[in-house]
Amino acid sequence: SPKPNAKVLFINASTGKRHTITANTVGRFQVDLPAGSWHVYLHGADDVPIYQNRVDVNGAQTRQVNLVSRSN
């Protein structure tokens, strides 16, 4: 189920640039990322980022991504 106020971290695979966003009260979020490959992390209960997946962004596309936490 969606996690309200989940903290999501995106790190550009090439530049290391970071974007952090917090999900809303129903667990949804929207982020505008520049083109490139991005590593996606969800912060666990101890606020340590846990790697989830990689997302490739190509130009001005819109994507829906569902993240599933690998932590308990």
Side-chain angles (χ1 to χ4, degrees):
S1 63
K3 183 177 178 185
N5 306 311
K7 190 172 170 183
V8 186
L9 169 64
F10 297 88
I11 301 177
N12 186 286
S14 299
T15 67
K17 184 171 183 172
R18 295 169 171 247
H19 286 281
T20 302
I21 191 158
T22 302
N24 65 16
T25 57
V26 293
R28 294 183 183 270
F29 65 90
Q30 181 175 334
V31 62
D32 293 321
L33 298 171
S37 293
W38 294 84
H39 297 289
V40 182
Y41 297 80
L42 285 175
H43 286 254
D46 55 1
D47 205 36
V48 173
I50 301 167
Y51 183 76
Q52 300 297 310
N53 203 346
R54 187 179 90 179
V55 175
D56 294 316
V57 177
N58 299 315
Q61 70 182 26
T62 299
R63 290 182 60 174
Q64 180 175 331
V65 176
N66 292 316
L67 300 175
V68 178
S69 176
R70 295 181 185 184
S71 67
N72 294 330

